Amino acid sequence: MRLTQYFLPLLRENPSEAQIVSHRLMLRAGMVRQSSAGIYSWLPLGLRVLNRVGQIVREEQDRAGAQEILMPTIQPAELWRESGRYDDYGKEMLRIRDRHERDMLYGPTNEEQITAIVRDAIRSYRDLPKNLYHIQWKFRDEVRPRFGVMRGREFLMKDNYSFDLDAAAAKHAYNKMFLAYLRTFARMGLKAIPMRADTGPIGGDLSHEFQILAETGESEVFCDRRWLDTDILAADVDYDSDLEPFFRHWTSLYAATDEMHKPENCPVPPEQLVSARGIEVGHIFYFGAKYSKPMGAVVTGPNGDEVPLEMGSYGIGVSRLVGALIEANHDDAGIIWPDSVAPFRLGLINLRPADAKCRAAADDLYAKLRRAGVEVLYDDRDDSPGAKFAAMDLIGLPDQLIIGPRGVAAGTIECKNRRSGARVDLSLDAALTRFTSA
Ligand code: P5A
């Protein structure tokens, strides 16, 4: 993509409304613009990251055996009256009346909707297990939307729902998602610690939040100091094997959110306990028959008796992750994207677009990289070198290739790694090979 053609409205100054670094950088790097409180438009650069995050989430859901669907954002109120949550949910729910005076709502979550779909389609235990997910916008009329996309009112969530015959099978489904979440966040280069958590309005009694430790986190969290030195690897475990030992291993070190942490019962001695702030990027729940029972979602079991479906639900804050990734990956000059979620793999800077030789060399390299399938953002603007360096550092692509008159005369190009700052001069061919052979 040529920068002269790209819609990338960068801001030089820090926007005064942004209190935390990710919000500031998302606005300055032209990723999002606020539409109203807690509601954002995603611009080309931001949408690329959002889609890449969504794609990693999707691949790990598919790997774990969940199947993608797409449910609507607008739901009928009757479904929520069936479960009893219509009144419980309070002012967070955006209620809408259609032209026929029917009560509708903009979904804050989809437990009721999916339970109705599965109830109407599944009759026998032989149809189980099932696990269905979607990536869809939600609306919660939060009292205090803040920190940009971190606590929005409209936000993108991956949510999925598991359906099983009995508690043991449902726990296996929970364990699968537990593993899938560890893998998902690890692939983004994030250390998300699973913590025992409160279940709030979703319900049930088994629940884990996945928390990234960050000063700007909204929740207070507690964990064993040893978590700080633990590498959470993208473990490759067979999803069909017994996952209990795996689950026990990853929950053996203490970690709990504020609501669950009771100092008097904490097994970790005070000197070994870390108290920190966390960003909740995922939350999983096992709630058994909480929705299936009132909504009549039953199957015929092996003995011919009717049993309510055992359910769990599992959420990842896809749009929140974009902010969380920046909180975890930035410096004074701007964002530093991990390769796995970067909006473009490479930035190509032509320092002197007016110089015919520079232009020819840069255009040629750009064409070759594109032909090789490398995603490149090519700064072909007529601007000062300083402005170009600052813009490239701000948007944080993993590597930069810099072409200038001196290099062109010597047949070389400068290659700068955004994270380490390391610079090397390479021949044009070597630069091409470096980024096309991976
Ligand atoms: C699980 C999936 C649920 O809603 N129902 C379906 C369950 N869980 S949750 O914890 O309430 O939300 C799941 C994740 O969504 C993100 N999230 C938000 N992101 C941005 N702005 C918000 N206002 C917001 N609220 C929730 C979080 O990452 C959360 O873990």
Side-chain angles (χ1 to χ4, degrees):
M1 177 57 65
R2 285 173 183 270
L3 211 41
T4 45
Q5 291 164 16
Y6 202 46
F7 183 62
L8 186 69
L10 303 178
L11 304 177
R12 271 182 217 283
E13 305 297 329
N14 274 329
S16 57
E17 74 268 27
Q19 297 163 23
I20 62 170
V21 69
S22 58
H23 189 195
R24 270 200 299 276
L25 290 173
M26 286 181 78
L27 291 169
R28 285 194 53 208
M31 294 176 65
V32 291
R33 286 294 180 264
Q34 182 173 304
S35 165
S36 58
I39 304 182
Y40 289 85
S41 299
W42 290 77
L43 306 187
L45 193 79
L47 184 59
R48 274 183 170 257
V49 179
L50 188 69
N51 286 339
R52 294 210 68 181
V53 169
Q55 187 55 25
I56 292 177
V57 170
R58 180 175 281 121
E59 285 169 16
E60 293 303 326
Q61 288 294 301
D62 292 345
R63 189 195 299 270
Q67 295 165 33
E68 187 167 11
I69 59 171
L70 187 57
M71 292 181 272
T73 54
I74 307 288
Q75 304 178 26
E78 295 110 70
L79 282 178
W80 288 66
R81 293 203 175 100
E82 283 187 46
S83 73
R85 275 209 296 184
Y86 190 64
D87 294 326
D88 293 354
Y89 225 90
K91 287 198 161 180
E92 274 206 358
M93 182 187 276
L94 181 64
R95 296 155 205 260
I96 306 164
R97 190 157 288 162
D98 73 9
R99 63 162 73 198
H100 305 292
E101 299 293 310
R102 276 189 287 254
D103 289 329
M104 313 288 284
L105 57 99
Y106 193 125
T109 176
N110 289 63
E111 278 80 6
E112 285 77 0
Q113 181 112 57
I114 191 78
T115 303
I117 294 171
V118 171
R119 167 185 69 192
D120 297 342
I122 282 186
R123 302 261 173 268
S124 157
Y125 73 97
R126 289 193 195 85
D127 301 324
L128 300 174
K130 286 285 171 288
N131 191 330
L132 302 167
Y133 77 96
H134 73 163
I135 301 179
Q136 178 62 291
W137 294 92
K138 306 286 185 280
F139 193 91
R140 294 182 185 173
D141 205 349
E142 304 272 353
V143 191
R144 276 211 304 160
R146 58 184 189 150
F147 299 163
V149 300
M150 293 277 231
R151 175 161 300 278
R153 293 198 295 164
E154 191 182 46
F155 60 97
L156 190 60
M157 192 200 287
K158 183 286 298 173
D159 39 323
N160 61 312
Y161 305 88
S162 61
F163 299 88
D164 286 277
L165 179 63
D166 55 33
K171 181 63 188 352
H172 182 59
Y174 186 91
N175 289 349
K176 278 187 176 180
M177 282 301 121
F178 188 94
L179 167 58
Y181 276 35
L182 290 181
R183 286 186 51 91
T184 302
F185 300 125
R187 276 187 61 185
M188 296 175 199
L190 288 173
K191 181 167 180 173
I193 303 177
M195 305 197 173
R196 275 309 293 259
D198 189 31
T199 57
I202 306 293
D205 46 25
L206 175 63
S207 166
H208 286 86
E209 282 178 10
F210 290 75
Q211 294 272 357
I212 293 166
L213 302 188
E215 277 168 27
T216 49
E218 286 199 287
S219 347
E220 193 176 8
V221 297
F222 299 87
C223 67
D224 190 315
R225 187 167 296 285
R226 283 174 288 175
W227 270 115
L228 305 183
D229 307 317
T230 304
D231 262 339
I232 304 182
L233 295 174
D236 206 2
V237 180
D238 177 2
Y239 278 104
D240 292 326
S241 65
D242 176 13
L243 294 175
E244 261 315 292
F246 178 86
F247 174 79
R248 274 201 295 273
H249 171 72
W250 285 102
T251 50
S252 60
L253 282 185
Y254 183 76
T257 61
D258 189 29
E259 302 88 17
M260 299 302 277
H261 176 72
K262 301 276 170 292
E264 59 279 15
N265 301 334
C266 179
V268 180
E271 64 280 7
Q272 205 180 306
L273 187 70
V274 176
S275 142
R277 313 289 306 171
I279 302 172
E280 179 200 322
V281 288
H283 197 164
I284 61 178
F285 303 82
Y286 165 56
F287 43 70
K290 174 174 172 185
Y291 300 90
S292 55
K293 214 167 186 176
M295 294 184 70
V298 295
V299 288
T300 311
N303 307 325
D305 46 345
E306 285 208 325
V307 285
L309 289 164
E310 281 285 310
M311 290 176 59
S313 77
Y314 315 87
I316 290 183
V318 176
S319 49
R320 174 177 289 182
L321 268 168
V322 177
L325 278 158
I326 297 175
E327 290 295 325
N329 297 282
H330 68 269
D331 63 13
D332 290 344
I335 305 169
I336 308 174
W337 291 114
D339 289 7
S340 60
V341 295
F344 294 90
R345 175 68 189 81
L346 273 181
L348 173 62
I349 300 179
N350 181 359
L351 290 177
R352 204 64 82 69
D355 176 306
K357 283 190 184 144
C358 279
R359 176 138 221 135
D363 280 359
D364 183 54
L365 185 59
Y366 176 59
K368 286 179 175 150
L369 285 165
R370 282 194 18 165
R371 236 175 281 139
V374 184
E375 294 193 307
V376 190
L377 186 63
Y378 172 21
D379 191 346
D380 56 343
R381 295 171 309 164
D382 194 8
D383 208 339
S384 73
K388 292 186 179 194
F389 293 140
M392 226 19 122
D393 280 354
L394 173 64
I395 65 176
L397 307 180
D399 288 286
Q400 303 171 5
L401 295 175
I402 302 153
I403 292 188
R406 225 175 310 134
V408 168
T412 62
I413 183 170
E414 188 177 43
C415 175
K416 175 183 149 184
N417 181 264
R418 174 68 180 88
R419 190 175 292 274
S420 68
R423 298 161 182 272
V424 278
D425 284 336
L426 298 173
S427 70
L428 285 165
D429 280 346
L432 193 60
T433 317
R434 174 180 288 210
F435 294 105
T436 53
S437 55

